[in-house]
Amino acid sequence: MAQVARAAGVSVMTVSYAYSRPDRVSADAAAKVRAAAADLGYPGPHPAARSLRRGRAGSLGFVLGERLTYAFDDPQAAQFLSGVAEVCAAEAVGLTLVPTTGTDSDTARVTEAAVDGFVVWTTTDDDPVLDAVIATGLPAVIHAGPHRPGLPVVGIDDRAAAAAIGHVAFATARRPAVLSFPLDHERRRQLLRGPVSPHVTFPVTRDRWRGFADAWTDLGGNIDQLRLAVCPQNTAAQGEALARELFAERPAPDAIAAMSDELALGALRAAERAGIAVPDALSITGWDDSEAARPAGLTTLAQSLHDQGIRCARLALGKASPNIREDRANWHVIHRHTTREPRPPTGDA
């Protein structure tokens, strides 16, 4: 910077202001500084150095416990990320994606991120990344859980929502099944039946499973009759593959409640290829009311991941205060053509 100042015939402070506070430098002085810098090959002060002086990084960290492409490939994750990005654009801050892979480098990637706060995509109860986020001392918010003291959580009541859509999915069922998200970070593909281990570490999976189980038993069903097909990834291809396995069993399920529209759409495709009539022989429900749900006629649980992304980003950037009513997002059931007419529950709702 001193060399640029000498070459331009101005003070070092003028050079500094030319980059950091151009409103305090005349147009003539700024032109001399930039011309001298170009001759000397000087690119300007390092962004990290400027951030240290300002006491802020000018970026929001989005901790994604998935492969990096998941944020763009998964329709719901993309909707959530678009809400976060909308706030970042409005507040003129950057967005830093921090993917985690379940390796020892995850915590270092979080602690070394040059950000002003974190939005954490839903993860497991035992994810060490949460401790790393807390240790930074930066503002942070978790989407959909798990809950940690002092960190706000934004999302819906997954158990209550699952019970509501489960009543629709299982209304006339005798052989119900659930297409599930992974149970833990091992992401094992599994076909289970009856009560699931209490050690399910993804809170979203755990709460939705409990809600579906609530609906089935409330309708008079035996929990041992409820099958659970665990998909390693949230994709239509995984939903189709697991549904095919369920259809190969005898007796095959007559109702499937999926934890996402992607899984439900895969099940619909598997049913079509197997010649199973929906909803006459098989009811199917989804979750999220994605753009593909309406044209497919899918009965689903609607929530706005975009709005939840906005809320999370505003909290993490200090533009909003935690509020139990605001942080518990809205949801509602949308009845379409993939379910039969429900019957009233036999127990208390």
Side-chain angles (χ1 to χ4, degrees):
M1 194 177 291
Q3 290 178 300
V4 172
R6 286 194 296 270
V10 298
S11 68
V12 173
M13 184 63 72
T14 298
V15 175
S16 176
Y17 281 161
Y19 288 100
S20 62
R21 303 183 65 178
D23 57 307
R24 298 191 60 174
V25 179
S26 69
D28 180 60
K32 290 179 179 179
V33 168
R34 297 195 181 279
D39 289 342
L40 294 170
Y42 175 64
H46 193 277
R50 290 201 300 267
S51 296
L52 287 173
R53 286 196 298 272
R54 293 196 306 264
R56 57 187 297 269
S59 186
L60 177 64
F62 178 37
V63 181
L64 181 69
E66 303 278 353
R67 63 192 185 282
L68 185 58
T69 56
Y70 182 87
F72 308 98
D73 295 338
D74 181 83
Q76 281 64 60
Q79 282 292 314
F80 181 83
L81 185 59
S82 73
V84 174
E86 182 177 308
V87 174
C88 289
E91 300 297 332
V93 300
L95 179 58
T96 300
L97 300 184
V98 187
T100 58
T101 59
T103 63
D104 293 341
S105 63
D106 288 346
T107 55
R109 194 175 299 113
V110 167
T111 56
E112 293 171 5
V115 298
D116 298 311
F118 291 100
V119 172
V120 183
W121 181 253
T122 183
T123 185
T124 58
D125 298 322
D126 56 355
D127 192 343
V129 164
L130 290 174
D131 294 327
V133 167
I134 293 170
T136 66
L138 295 171
V141 59
I142 304 173
H143 175 249
H147 289 264
R148 286 295 179 90
L151 294 187
V153 174
V154 172
I156 67 173
D157 184 336
D158 281 288
R159 184 168 184 170
I165 191 73
H167 271 105
V168 177
F170 305 149
T172 60
R174 294 295 179 266
R175 300 176 303 279
V178 173
L179 275 179
S180 170
F181 291 150
L183 304 185
D184 51 40
H185 265 312
E186 292 186 15
R187 297 179 177 275
R188 289 174 293 170
R189 176 192 180 102
Q190 302 176 74
L191 285 175
L192 307 171
R193 184 186 293 271
V196 174
S197 166
H199 302 299
V200 177
T201 56
F202 271 112
V204 169
T205 303
R206 182 174 63 241
D207 290 343
R208 292 186 187 182
W209 163 253
R210 288 173 174 169
F212 288 134
D214 291 343
W216 176 236
T217 55
D218 190 41
L219 288 165
N222 186 324
I223 190 63
D224 292 329
Q225 298 171 309
L226 187 57
R227 280 175 281 187
L228 182 72
V230 182
C231 302
Q233 288 89 33
N234 178 36
T235 65
Q238 287 287 336
E240 181 178 4
L242 266 294
R244 283 202 308 266
E245 290 191 36
L246 289 171
F247 298 155
E249 295 185 355
R250 291 295 178 266
D254 59 0
I256 291 178
M259 291 191 183
S260 75
D261 286 346
E262 290 298 295
L263 298 179
L265 292 168
L268 278 173
R269 191 160 59 205
E272 181 181 8
R273 292 179 176 177
I276 300 173
V278 176
D280 294 338
L282 175 71
S283 290
I284 298 177
T285 61
W287 194 295
D288 287 324
D289 193 31
S290 64
E291 291 183 3
R294 181 184 292 274
L298 181 65
T299 296
T300 188
L301 191 293
Q303 63 172 326
S304 176
L305 274 297
H306 180 83
D307 289 350
Q308 291 172 40
I310 290 174
R311 179 65 180 164
C312 285
R314 286 182 54 79
L315 283 168
L317 290 173
K319 302 301 178 180
S321 300
N323 181 293
I324 293 176
R325 295 184 64 181
E326 290 186 58
D327 296 342
R328 183 53 62 94
N330 297 321
W331 57 269
H332 63 279
V333 175
I334 296 181
H335 296 263
R336 293 196 178 105
H337 310 304
T338 60
T339 50
R340 301 181 286 275
E341 286 298 318
R343 68 173 188 262
T346 59
D348 294 334

